[in-house]
Amino acid sequence: MKAMKTVLVTGSNGYIGRHVVRALKRRGARVVCVDRTIDPSCGGDACYSADLLDGDIALVDLIGEVPDACIHLAWRNGFDHNDPSHLLDLSAHFSFLSGLASAGVRQIAAMGSMHEIGYWEGAIDEETPCNPLSLYGVSKNALREALLLTFANSPIVFQWIRAFYLFGDDANAQSVFGKISRAAAEGRRSFPFTSGRNQYDFLEVDELAEQIAAVLMQDEVDGVINCCSGVPISLGEKVEGYIADNGFDITLDYGAFPDRPYDSPALWGDPAKIRAILAAEDGE
């Protein structure tokens, strides 16, 4: 019988974090939750309030143990892609994760983003070159490169989990889906929108959490791992379907906003690695 795996989840009270905690628990993990604010109903086995960007935090001392693995989800202002905090916080993220490795954590995973890539057309795999076009993308990419360099030729299993476009749990989301849900609840009949032509890889947040948990519960597949559907769908088609599925009486005002210059016409994740991880999990 395998020993219970202890997984540290940072940002456990965030949009993605609360789903990851539940997905890990379903797999039999012992989950230690850390966030600036802790929800008593988070479902973790142990919960701690801490600011991980505070350089004086010795997290292993705070929680009183060395976890087997960590998934680092904590990140400020993720939906404001050019907020200066992304760059200002970068060294603190690096110090925190490299500090975990020094404290004895041997499996470290961090949340990445398709925005590391910048402008790209087609499938994205771990060899796709990165040319980020926002401060958010620049910071995520810099953290990934710094950690890959730091953990090279070491016993650390490093996993960079790259996410794409998310929906679901929309009351807690700052995505376009959450904004439309709230606009419909307010009785608004139209919603300002872009052209809607760009094609993206969409994944429901619960499914993303299942993929993240599957990555963490194994240590044979590492490096960049796309957590994705592998299927491109136009933003307009996806949002129109979302409105119809939820019965919202609201229409999209196409062209009210310009498409962002750093958004690609069509991109999606190559799902080969995550499918291999899920297949191995199902075969256990």
Side-chain angles (χ1 to χ4, degrees), residues 108-123:
I108 294 176
M111 200 72 216
S113 167
M114 68 171 201
H115 292 292
E116 304 155 37
I117 302 297
Y119 192 91
W120 185 261
E121 296 185 44

Side-chain angles (χ1 to χ4, degrees), residues 93-253:
H93 287 289
F94 175 79
S95 295
F96 170 69
L97 292 173
S98 57
L100 284 184
S102 298
V105 180
R106 287 295 171 261
Q107 182 180 354
I108 294 176
M111 200 72 216
S113 167
M114 68 171 201
H115 292 292
E116 304 155 37
I117 302 297
Y119 192 91
W120 185 261
E121 296 185 44
I124 292 172
D125 61 22
E126 63 182 294
E127 302 300 330
T128 301
C130 294
N131 182 29
L133 299 173
S134 66
L135 295 183
Y136 176 68
V138 166
S139 301
K140 285 286 189 181
N141 188 54
L143 181 62
R144 177 183 61 85
E145 291 186 331
L147 293 172
L148 283 170
L149 183 64
T150 300
F151 297 148
N153 303 314
S154 81
I156 304 300
V157 175
F158 177 56
Q159 296 158 322
W160 185 260
I161 299 174
R162 182 176 284 152
F164 291 74
Y165 270 80
L166 302 180
F167 66 100
D169 191 11
D170 298 301
N172 297 300
Q174 296 302 316
S175 66
V176 65
F177 300 98
K179 292 175 182 177
I180 287 173
S181 178
R182 289 187 286 274
E186 293 166 3
R188 291 165 54 187
R189 302 295 297 276
S190 67
F191 185 86
F193 204 55
T194 63
S195 71
R197 291 191 294 265
N198 300 69
Q199 296 181 37
Y200 301 118
D201 190 316
F202 293 94
L203 198 65
E204 204 271 337
V205 67
D206 266 332
E207 176 57 28
L208 173 67
E210 294 295 330
Q211 293 189 6
I212 291 173
V215 170
L216 287 164
M217 294 303 286
Q218 60 83 49
D219 57 13
E220 294 183 1
V221 181
D222 61 3
V224 177
I225 302 169
N226 291 323
C227 284
C228 61
S229 71
V231 179
I233 301 174
S234 76
L235 181 60
E237 179 183 351
K238 190 67 180 180
V239 172
E240 292 281 9
Y242 176 78
I243 291 170
D245 290 344
N246 287 276
F248 294 151
D249 185 16
I250 194 169
T251 58
L252 298 177
D253 181 11

